[in-house]
Amino acid sequence: MKIGIPKEILPGERRVSLVPDAVKKLVDQGIEVIVESGAGSASLFTDDMYAAAGATKVEDPETLYRSTELYLKVQAPIIDSTTGQNEVNMMSEGSTVIGLLQPMTNVELVKKLLQKNITALSMDTIPRIARAQSMDALSSQSSIAGYKSILIAADRLGRYLPMMMTAAGTYPPAKGLILGAGVAGLQAIATGRRLGAVMQAFDVRPTVKEEVESLGGIFVGMTPDGADVQDSGGYAKELQEDTQEAGRRLIQKHSSEADFVISTAMIPGRPAPILITEDMVRSMKPGSIIIDIAAETGGNCELTVPGEEVIIQDITIYGRLNLPSTMPNHASQMYSKNISALLAHVLADNILSLDFNDAISKGCCITYQGSVVNEATKSLI
């Protein structure tokens, strides 16, 4: 088995799929690892560190893809501006790629993989079950995004986060509102509380109330009577319009009193739900800030511009993409552990061995032997 670690080419992506410690473990079990020069530089892992771990360095992506049979990536394959080729075109016929492929919103990529008979395993479709927790890249990267969102709020907000008692007066703590108490939201609550802010959280899932309160947050969510608000993976479902409108009214009440709002609500394979309307933005206090983590899938705020910072009536709406990549060292270490756990699950005697009776293999495998095997993706092809 030869595993390749290419350099990520998506603009702004600073993570690497496998760190040197993980490479050493693979080499020790007899797997050859080939790393493109500079693959880990942005995340502070040098070529020398990979060499010390036993990896072989190559200078260009064409050589890497030609020399290996299993490719480990962070982002989905895209066109390489230096060669003019899509990364899929450089991959060997019948090879395997693992990464955050986003197949539900990247149908053209799936078609390209099929054309080259490439087996594709997507880190973002791994089922949320107990024995797959170590492989859950969405959770590990969301935790970083939630943490970083609070640091951005503290930096951009023109006031203290904690209560401050000084000779020049006493100043009350800032008030934060978190929309969505998933992994990112809970990490934001915990980090905000550490920095002394008053943290409130809105979610339609009553089951998260206890988690919010255990972190020192105040749960201000709603509990729709008899509504099925959570899927089998623990994600919030998209609600009926009347229920959504009731939720928006509750959000407006609390957002108008907040100094910062962090929105995290996403639905797998779908655009992010709009939770913050333009009217709600205009009702917020001057100088307050919205950090829209869901900008990756369009945003929870009606005025979010993905990748940009917008100011409306002295309210800043921050739509930065790929927050985990702003902390590339730890983000890479966490992602590397996730992908290493998946490799341990799908490799037998250093050969790819997929058991489609197994929930993990069945859930994360998108294409195999020229066919789409993931049920949710299959309906889109």
Side-chain angles (χ1 to χ4, degrees), residues 9 28 77 88 139 209 258 281 287 303 337 340:
I9 60 175
D28 287 347
V88 173
S139 290
K209 181 177 184 291
V281 172
L303 301 179
K337 287 187 176 181
S340 294

Side-chain angles (χ1 to χ4, degrees), residues 16-37:
V16 65
S17 59
L18 212 62
V19 301
D21 284 350
V23 167
K24 186 177 187 306
K25 291 177 182 177
L26 292 177
V27 171
D28 287 347
Q29 68 186 56
I31 293 175
E32 184 176 351
V33 179
I34 299 175
V35 180
E36 184 181 351
S37 179

Side-chain angles (χ1 to χ4, degrees), residues 126-188:
I126 289 175
R128 301 190 82 184
I129 57 178
R131 62 191 179 89
Q133 284 183 342
S134 61
M135 311 170 201
D136 190 353
L138 288 182
S139 290
S140 71
Q141 303 305 294
S142 292
S143 177
I144 291 176
Y147 169 83
K148 190 59 180 282
S149 67
I150 292 293
L151 301 188
I152 294 169
D155 178 61
R156 298 303 178 93
L157 201 61
R159 56 168 300 161
Y160 285 122
L161 254 65
M163 182 178 74
M164 296 295 289
M165 302 176 67
T166 76
T170 298
Y171 302 92
K175 182 180 290 186
L177 174 65
I178 309 300
L179 304 182
V183 174
L186 292 172
Q187 183 59 254

Side-chain angles (χ1 to χ4, degrees), residues 184-343:
L186 292 172
Q187 183 59 254
I189 293 167
T191 305
R193 287 295 300 131
R194 291 188 195 106
L195 294 179
V198 173
M199 301 299 296
Q200 296 181 324
F202 171 91
D203 200 294
V204 298
R205 298 167 296 174
T207 54
V208 302
K209 181 177 184 291
E210 185 176 343
E211 293 178 88
V212 168
E213 293 176 344
S214 72
L215 295 171
I218 302 167
F219 185 73
V220 295
M222 55 189 295
T223 53
D225 293 336
D228 184 11
V229 297
Q230 184 169 301
D231 66 17
S232 59
Y235 294 102
K237 287 185 175 180
E238 188 169 12
L239 303 178
Q240 297 294 324
E241 181 56 36
D242 58 342
T243 306
Q244 289 187 40
E245 184 56 34
R248 292 189 190 105
R249 289 195 297 269
L250 187 55
I251 290 170
Q252 181 163 16
K253 174 182 181 298
H254 294 286
S255 64
S256 64
E257 302 169 353
D259 297 296
F260 63 93
V261 176
I262 295 173
S263 61
T264 73
M266 288 185 273
I267 301 171
R270 302 281 299 279
I274 296 298
L275 303 179
I276 308 170
T277 64
E278 180 175 352
D279 288 343
M280 293 162 67
V281 172
R282 295 185 182 278
S283 72
M284 293 175 67
K285 298 188 296 186
S288 54
I289 182 172
I290 297 171
I291 299 169
D292 197 342
I293 293 178
E296 296 279 354
T297 54
N300 295 140
C301 178
E302 189 175 25
L303 301 179
T304 294
V305 178
E308 297 185 19
E309 187 174 317
V310 177
I311 299 177
I312 303 290
Q313 197 174 293
D314 292 326
I315 313 300
T316 302
I317 305 163
Y318 192 82
R320 175 69 185 263
L321 302 177
N322 199 358
L323 282 180
S325 188
T326 65
M327 295 182 57
N329 185 266
H330 278 151
S332 295
Q333 291 182 53
M334 295 170 79
Y335 183 77
S336 179
K337 287 187 176 181
N338 297 144
I339 213 165
S340 294
L342 178 62
L343 286 175

